[in-house]
């Protein structure tokens, strides 16, 4: 009888821990992304002149818009890093 009680307490604790971790992860991604301090609203379809900040010299350009406060941006960091590394290798081979 004592083993069954101990085993049921163990499974209850295990499932509660898994449930808590799942809830915490889901809750983190359900929060709204905070708006950065230097955010400027830009109308849909308007063109942005980036030649002032980055000369392109007819090379491919990859822009990654990143907000360190956004959980989705932090989630994409490993994928974007791999993408940048693969593109750098492809460009050096050409």
């Amino acid at each position: 009888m004592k083993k069954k009680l101990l085993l049921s307490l163990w499974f209850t604790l295990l499932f509660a821990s898994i449930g808590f971790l799942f809830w915490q992860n889901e809750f983190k991604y359900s929060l709204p992304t905070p708006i950065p301090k230097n955010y400027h609203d830009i109308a849909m379809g308007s063109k942005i002149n980036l030649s002032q900040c980055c000369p392109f010299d007819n090379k491919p350009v990859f822009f990654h818009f990143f907000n360190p406060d956004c959980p989705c941006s932090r989630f994409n960091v490993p994928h974007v890093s791999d993408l940048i590394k693969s593109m750098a290798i492809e460009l050096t081979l050409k």
Side-chain angles (χ1 to χ4, degrees), residues 27-90:
F27 179 71
K28 177 173 51 174
Y29 289 111
S30 69
L31 293 174
T33 303
I35 298 174
K37 294 176 189 173
N38 56 353
Y39 175 77
H40 301 287
D41 194 21
I42 297 173
M44 268 304 222
S46 62
K47 295 188 180 195
I48 302 171
N49 185 6
L50 297 174
S51 62
Q52 301 166 357
C53 67
C54 19
F56 299 122
D57 299 329
N58 293 327
K59 295 181 182 176
V61 178
F62 177 77
F63 286 104
H64 178 231
F65 295 96
F66 181 76
N67 178 3
D69 296 329
C70 175
C72 296
S73 289
R74 291 192 307 263
F75 178 78
N76 288 329
V77 168
H79 178 68
V80 171
S81 298
D82 290 343
L83 191 62
I84 291 169
K85 288 176 190 173
S86 70
M87 289 296 168
I89 291 171
E90 286 181 23

